[in-house]
Amino acid sequence: MSAAGWMLVAAPVAALVLLTALLRPRAAGVVAPHRLGVVRAALLTGVFAVLTVEVLGALDALTLPAFALAWLIFVAGVTVAVGRRRDPAAPRAAVAGSRRAVLVGATVGGPPADDPTLGAASGPPPVDAPTPPALPAATVRAGVAALLTGWADRLTHFRRTATRGERLLAGTVLAVVLIELVVALLAEPNNFDSQTYHLPKVEHWVAQGSLEFWPTAIHRQVTIPPGAEYLLLHLRLFTGGDALHNLVQWAAEIGCLLAATRITAQLGGGRRAQLVTAFLLATTPMVALQATSTQTDLVAAAWAACAATLVLDGLRRRAGLTDALALGAATGLTALTKTSGLIAVGPLLLLWGLAQLRLARRPAGTAPDDPTGVTPDRAGRASGGFSSDPTTGPTDRPGPTGARQVARTVGGSLLVLLVAATVVGPFLARETAEFGHPLGPPRLRESIPMERHDPAAVLVNALRIGHTAFDTPLAPLRAGTASAIMDGSRAVGVDPQDRAITFGREVFPVPAWYPDEDRVAFPLAGALALLGAVVALARPRRISPGRAGTLRAYAGVVVGAVVLHTAMIKWQPWGNRLLLYALVLAVPLAGLWVDAVLRRRAGAGRRSVAAGLVVTVLATSALAGVLALSYGFPRRLVGAGSVFTTAEWDTRFLRRPQWADEFRWAASAVRASDARRIGLVQQNDNWEYPWWLLLRDDDGRSPELVALQSVLPDRPPADPTSVDAIVCTGPRTECARLVPAGWTIEYRDHVGYALPPAR
């Protein structure tokens, strides 16, 4: 990658840092303001990345110069915004015109002392002096310095005050995340679905310069929501390849950790509860493996978690404009990445709307859990109405009352939906224009969603999904529970393999305990989350006395989302990864419950038996995470297939090593023929991406690949006589059927090619 490419890759990172400094709330009383700033910044950056693709795609301008210009303008705009921001809560320099005074004044005050994770920053109180005419560059540096100083102060405070157990939890999470970063950078993309449709989708956009649909035999290339692939497109254009593609999911894991720990804090959890949440999430094998992948489940989970933490803010205070915009962005990004995430985001939005209406109908300044009628807001005044933006602090104007409050709440809800529609709307419009339905063709709408919704069928589906999600290496346990589920399903009149509740031709049960990124179960984190949810619903004050109502409401939404998932999504062998969004939302309940168990002591200062069991489970979870990183599939640290010892091409084909030489053999013959226009013959689950790598021009330009089959009714395939060569995957008979008469066909087991007589 060129130096210019590295600079362009740094642009999103710079934008995220600057936006975090810009959007971090300064007002007192905001839970974990730094993490909220990161959430807001990530959402705004994500929306910009998506809308950039949509706008430039509509202009047929999906090119490197266009993307580079867009990001430079964005970063410049954010820099100007940071430079012009005036923060009334920030310390002021006593000496006007002194750059150093501005920097020091913005640094020593630091963020508010309300982040229970790393403690409060310390420093002298703000100096009440006139605001100096600081230069924009100095103000930008001051804002970023204040942000970094705040994190540094919290880290220092954590090191001084943390117990040995807390340090062990934090150290484990940090080690896991850093090891995943190494694997993500060293390993070439080798996810099965990515070879079939995630990465070919990106290559088609680059080749044609637009988002227009294309003829293809793999309908998922155009029917599956493309939110994560939009992010990959930026990296593809910046770097000219896929060397950094795995970092999108790795960054999504960081987002999940930040959002999940903030949710724990919002539900009343202290530092240890938040660290336990991060520990359980980071060491879950599914999370550890997907964090180094080009799969899309962690991206969807991160956006859903952002929505959840924003919703929790709206349960206790009136939402501001920034809150509504951010919540709409989270909703839209979730829908654009994986529509299954809306199964949780939808109920969360309903909870948020009801809470906002309840707050709007209360007398000014009344908090949800304050029956006295008056609770001061962040500035010590009674609050009411659709509140001012918490980023800049409250206004001096009194809030509206009565019907106006309700009207503004309804307006805020409509704004959330409008923003979400702006993000996902263009894709849905293309789907509707192409297939007559926003959710794509019938084959997509019927293959994944449940086709039966009677109670017996839903119950059987839920039991099968639970069996796969909680699978363990104990074969007798797996066989016994599976047998009981199948016998029970027949007893209630449901075929356990009914196609209406089972994906494709798959057969229940399947082993899911081994560390495979597409299947691995999560029995430890899942069991703790289930226990936490039960206690949160039944006795919430035992684990969060000060947030009992909020905790119960949140747990109800999470449980409801899981129930909806089992009623809407068919069982499938790789269904565990489809549940990842629900796991991320549920783990904070596990963190709270574990912390509550560890707080209880029995006898003469000895921990209870339950606490001992919890510690054992945590140790087992750490071991599971280590084993997943060490021996996980298809990326691992040690053994056969290690990222340190396996060649690049072999790493790409760890899923199907027998195909590696066949693809190279066919591509070499086609390249030797000087073919320019190359036809593709393939089936719905075949790998297309290797052709984009092997047939790329020497200067890096994309090859001209055209499909000779198409499942899109209005987009006919290319005429086989119009191409210079044909490459095939799958059965030889299907390839031979499309090859023109007189052409020479060469075939091995899975891959073949055909050339005309002149070549």
Side-chain angles (χ1 to χ4, degrees):
M1 183 169 56
S2 65
W6 280 112
M7 293 179 63
L8 291 173
V9 169
V13 179
L16 185 65
V17 173
L18 290 170
L19 284 171
T20 300
L22 178 68
L23 299 176
R24 176 174 60 90
R26 267 52 170 189
V30 178
V31 176
H34 283 75
R35 278 170 282 176
L36 179 56
V38 174
V39 166
R40 290 173 171 177
L43 290 170
L44 181 54
T45 305
V47 168
F48 172 78
V50 165
L51 294 183
T52 297
V53 173
E54 291 288 0
V55 171
L56 295 180
L59 299 174
D60 294 337
L62 298 181
T63 62
L64 176 59
F67 274 63
L69 179 62
W71 276 104
L72 291 176
I73 292 175
F74 183 63
V75 173
V78 173
T79 303
V80 171
V82 173
R84 290 184 175 180
R85 177 175 180 178
R86 296 297 182 186
D87 185 358
R92 303 301 186 186
V95 181
S98 170
R99 290 190 181 185
R100 179 173 179 80
V102 173
L103 178 59
V104 173
T107 301
V108 296
D114 54 9
D115 188 340
T117 299
L118 299 178
S122 59
V127 178
D128 188 10
T131 303
L135 297 176
T139 309
V140 171
R141 290 196 298 270
V144 175
L147 177 70
L148 299 179
T149 300
W151 283 105
D153 288 343
R154 282 163 169 75
L155 180 59
T156 301
H157 180 80
F158 175 80
R159 293 176 59 186
R160 290 200 309 262
T161 62
T163 65
R164 183 177 301 176
E166 289 172 342
R167 293 184 180 184
L168 182 60
L169 291 171
T172 301
V173 173
L174 180 61
V176 167
V177 168
L178 292 178
I179 292 172
E180 290 166 353
L181 176 60
V182 172
V183 175
L185 290 172
L186 292 180
E188 287 72 28
N190 59 1
N191 172 263
F192 194 103
D193 284 347
S194 296
Q195 306 277 22
T196 300
Y197 68 96
H198 290 310
L199 300 186
K201 186 186 302 186
V202 176
E203 295 299 326
H204 277 286
W205 293 333
V206 173
Q208 64 190 26
S210 73
L211 299 176
E212 183 181 1
F213 291 163
W214 52 89
T216 178
I218 304 173
H219 77 87
R220 290 174 294 174
Q221 291 182 357
V222 296
T223 58
I224 299 294
E229 291 89 338
Y230 280 1
L231 305 181
L232 291 175
L233 176 61
H234 291 261
L235 292 178
R236 167 65 176 86
L237 289 172
F238 291 165
T239 65
D242 58 17
L244 301 183
H245 278 10
N246 293 331
L247 293 186
V248 170
Q249 282 263 107
W250 180 82
E253 183 201 20
I254 302 300
C256 288
L257 292 172
L258 292 175
T261 54
R262 185 170 189 265
I263 289 171
T264 305
Q266 290 170 293
L267 296 176
R271 181 165 65 190
R272 183 173 59 187
Q274 295 172 58
L275 288 172
V276 170
T277 297
F279 176 86
L280 288 173
L281 194 57
T283 57
T284 297
M286 175 68 76
V287 174
L289 291 170
Q290 286 228 6
T292 63
S293 167
T294 47
Q295 195 51 276
T296 62
D297 304 285
L298 268 179
V299 179
W303 298 136
C306 289
T309 191
L310 294 170
V311 164
L312 287 176
D313 281 337
L315 299 189
R316 298 180 59 83
R317 62 172 173 80
R318 300 286 290 121
L321 179 61
T322 299
D323 299 310
L325 292 174
L327 189 54
T331 303
L333 290 169
T334 302
L336 188 64
T337 303
K338 218 172 189 68
T339 51
S340 58
L342 293 178
I343 296 174
V345 174
L348 284 168
L349 290 179
L350 179 60
L351 178 65
W352 181 84
L354 293 175
Q356 289 295 299
L357 283 174
R358 183 167 177 246
L359 290 170
R361 294 171 65 88
R362 287 177 173 271
T366 305
D369 51 0
D370 179 24
T372 62
V374 178
T375 297
D377 68 2
R378 295 179 302 271
R381 296 180 296 269
S383 62
F386 195 69
S387 69
S388 60
D389 186 354
T391 299
T392 58
T395 65
D396 292 326
R397 294 173 296 178
T401 59
R404 289 185 62 193
Q405 287 183 328
V406 175
R408 299 186 77 170
T409 297
V410 173
S413 301
L414 293 176
L415 179 61
V416 170
L417 298 179
L418 177 61
V419 173
T422 301
V423 174
V424 72
F427 169 71
L428 296 182
R430 289 193 297 274
E431 289 285 294
T432 304
E434 189 74 28
F435 303 108
H437 195 286
L439 298 181
R443 65 184 302 176
L444 178 63
R445 303 197 305 270
E446 297 169 1
S447 61
I448 297 177
M450 287 274 284
E451 297 177 81
R452 288 182 58 178
H453 298 92
D454 55 287
V458 172
L459 175 61
V460 171
N461 194 55
L463 291 174
R464 296 183 306 164
I465 289 176
H467 180 274
T468 305
F470 289 92
D471 191 23
T472 69
L474 303 175
L477 178 62
R478 180 190 316 119
T481 52
S483 178
I485 290 172
M486 290 189 288
D487 291 343
S489 66
R490 296 187 185 97
V492 297
V494 178
D495 180 359
Q497 313 301 344
D498 187 350
R499 295 303 104 189
I501 62 174
T502 305
F503 180 86
R505 301 180 182 275
E506 304 301 327
V507 177
F508 174 84
V510 296
W513 61 267
Y514 56 92
D516 184 296
E517 66 175 355
D518 288 334
R519 297 193 180 198
V520 62
F522 32 82
L524 297 175
L528 291 176
L530 179 60
L531 288 170
V534 170
V535 176
L537 290 173
R539 304 184 67 179
R541 293 190 181 278
R542 292 191 61 180
I543 57 179
S544 182
R547 296 287 190 274
T550 301
L551 176 60
R552 177 175 283 166
Y554 180 79
V557 168
V558 172
V559 171
V562 174
V563 172
L564 284 174
H565 185 100
T566 61
M568 298 175 66
I569 306 296
K570 294 177 178 178
W571 175 88
Q572 49 192 283
W574 43 89
N576 287 342
R577 65 180 181 83
L578 301 184
L579 270 172
L580 194 54
Y581 74 93
L583 178 71
V584 172
L585 297 182
V587 165
L589 301 175
L592 288 165
W593 179 76
V594 168
D595 180 63
V597 171
L598 294 177
R599 286 200 307 266
R600 295 199 300 271
R601 296 178 179 274
R606 295 179 298 175
R607 294 187 182 276
S608 65
V609 174
L613 291 175
V614 164
V615 172
T616 302
V617 170
L618 292 178
T620 306
S621 180
L623 178 61
V626 170
L627 291 177
L629 287 173
S630 300
Y631 298 100
F633 193 75
R635 291 166 303 281
R636 58 178 52 170
L637 292 173
V638 298
S642 167
V643 295
F644 297 111
T645 60
T646 307
E648 172 189 347
W649 193 248
D650 294 332
T651 299
R652 296 182 184 277
F653 281 83
L654 283 174
R655 285 282 188 191
R656 296 293 185 270
Q658 67 274 20
W659 294 351
D661 290 338
E662 294 190 24
F663 269 95
R664 284 193 291 196
W665 160 76
S668 297
V670 171
R671 288 178 65 91
S673 70
D674 292 327
R676 304 301 304 170
R677 181 177 166 87
I678 303 165
L680 291 173
V681 177
Q682 55 195 359
Q683 285 70 56
N684 185 56
D685 211 30
N686 288 169
W687 288 9
E688 181 182 310
Y689 186 58
W691 298 126
W692 290 97
L693 297 176
L694 290 167
L695 299 175
R696 187 175 295 174
D697 291 345
D698 293 336
D699 59 1
R701 289 184 301 174
S702 300
E704 185 180 1
L705 299 180
V706 295
L708 302 185
Q709 312 136 289
S710 179
V711 294
L712 277 64
D714 297 330
R715 299 189 184 272
D719 185 345
T721 61
S722 69
V723 300
D724 303 323
I726 297 174
V727 291
C728 308
T729 51
R732 179 190 176 106
T733 54
E734 185 66 18
C735 183
R737 185 179 66 82
L738 293 170
V739 171
W743 284 41
T744 301
I745 301 179
E746 298 289 341
Y747 226 90
R748 290 191 176 178
D749 182 53
H750 179 73
V751 179
Y753 68 91
L755 297 173
R759 295 181 183 272

